[in-house]
Amino acid sequence: MTIVVSFFRKSTRMGLREILLAMESGINNAIPVAVACAAAGIITGIISLTGVGLRFSSILISLSGNSEFLMLILTMIASIILGMGLPTSAAYIILAVLTAPALIDLGVAPLAAHFFIFFFGCISTITPPVALSAYAAAGIAGSNPMKTGLIGFIVPFLAIYRPAILLQAELWKIFIFTLLAIISIVGLTYSTVGFRDKRLSILERLLFLVGAILLLIRLDWVLNVAGLFILAFAFYKTHLKENADRLISIMGSESVKDNKGNLVSILNFLKRRKKR
């Protein structure tokens, strides 16, 4: 497919020499992954033949006290540690044998369980404590590296608590839960970063955090609706604060006459809000 697509542009067309070089490069890049997967295959074979896999799963379930959330935390830690030193495919093969059965036994959908371990195996360079990619991104954005990487922890948990985002539900559920997941991530981002046009207060950050967490709770419509209301209130509160700050800046400016139109529009907006 790469060769076929390369012919669509004159600058990217591949001749025989380029095709052979690409094949050579692909083989060289596949060698470390192949070796790691071969070693992982030996490990998984030993685990399967000796019964350690079943025993390991029961140990994890016992340690978590049959708590799905604690089990997810233990699986997350194992995935990140293995992802630090192993290629993603090798880390996934081992974890699929060791931890995925335990998650499935606790009622997690098989696709969501495998997505969870695969995702954390992939993002060990994005999330703390390694977070090398997060440091590079934070250097470009001028942000805190640890805070930049924290958001990566959220998506796999969304897949567990909202399997609809993995297209494992009816169409209307996929639409609703994907929308709720996006809103939740936005709220958690504001809470973590602490900035929305202007720096947020502690109370505002807590509102965004609580509302986002309530949206993540599975199969509890009352808490989900409460989370939506809290997030709506947090957005409304910060929006009013932004308008108030703009009004203060206009009133304090030396040329109020130049800002007469903006001043009138803001005052009219505040009057309408007061009447409502």
Side-chain angles (χ1 to χ4, degrees), residues 25-246:
S25 176
I27 292 170
N28 288 331
N29 291 331
I31 289 172
V33 178
V35 172
C37 287
I42 295 172
I43 295 171
T44 53
I46 293 171
I47 290 169
S48 300
L49 291 173
T50 58
V52 173
L54 294 174
R55 180 62 183 156
F56 189 81
S57 297
S58 63
I59 290 171
L60 285 177
I61 294 173
S62 176
L63 283 174
S64 63
N66 287 328
S67 170
E68 184 182 281
F69 181 73
L70 290 179
M71 183 66 195
L72 291 173
I73 296 295
L74 292 173
T75 305
M76 176 189 74
I77 294 170
S79 300
I80 290 176
I81 291 174
L82 283 174
M84 291 178 188
L86 286 175
T88 302
S89 50
Y92 167 72
I93 290 170
I94 296 172
L95 289 166
V97 176
L98 290 176
T99 60
L103 288 174
I104 295 170
D105 288 342
L106 289 178
V108 176
L111 181 61
H114 285 271
F115 175 83
F116 187 86
I117 59 179
F118 182 75
F119 195 100
F120 275 118
C122 288
I123 63 171
S124 60
T125 61
I126 300 174
T127 55
V130 181
L132 293 177
S133 300
Y135 273 90
I140 296 171
S143 60
N144 185 298
M146 291 293 107
K147 291 181 179 179
T148 302
L150 282 175
I151 302 300
F153 286 116
I154 301 167
V155 176
F157 285 94
L158 282 175
I160 297 294
Y161 292 114
R162 302 290 190 201
I165 68 173
L166 296 178
L167 309 183
Q168 298 293 296
E170 294 86 352
L171 186 61
W172 68 271
K173 286 185 178 180
I174 292 172
F175 176 77
I176 291 176
F177 289 133
T178 301
L179 183 62
L180 290 178
I182 293 171
I183 296 172
S184 177
I185 289 175
V186 171
L188 284 170
T189 303
Y190 283 140
S191 174
T192 305
V193 177
F195 191 87
R196 182 178 181 266
D197 297 322
K198 289 188 176 293
R199 187 172 295 278
L200 301 177
S201 65
I202 298 297
L203 176 61
E204 290 165 345
R205 294 179 69 173
L206 281 175
L207 286 174
F208 279 116
L209 177 64
V210 172
I213 290 175
L214 290 178
L215 281 184
L216 295 178
I217 298 176
R218 180 171 54 184
L219 299 178
D220 197 324
W221 287 101
V222 176
L223 293 179
N224 292 159
V225 172
L228 276 176
F229 274 110
I230 292 173
L231 284 177
F233 175 73
F235 279 109
Y236 179 76
K237 187 176 184 298
T238 53
H239 181 66
L240 282 183
K241 181 181 177 183
E242 178 189 351
N243 284 330
D245 291 340
R246 192 184 305 166

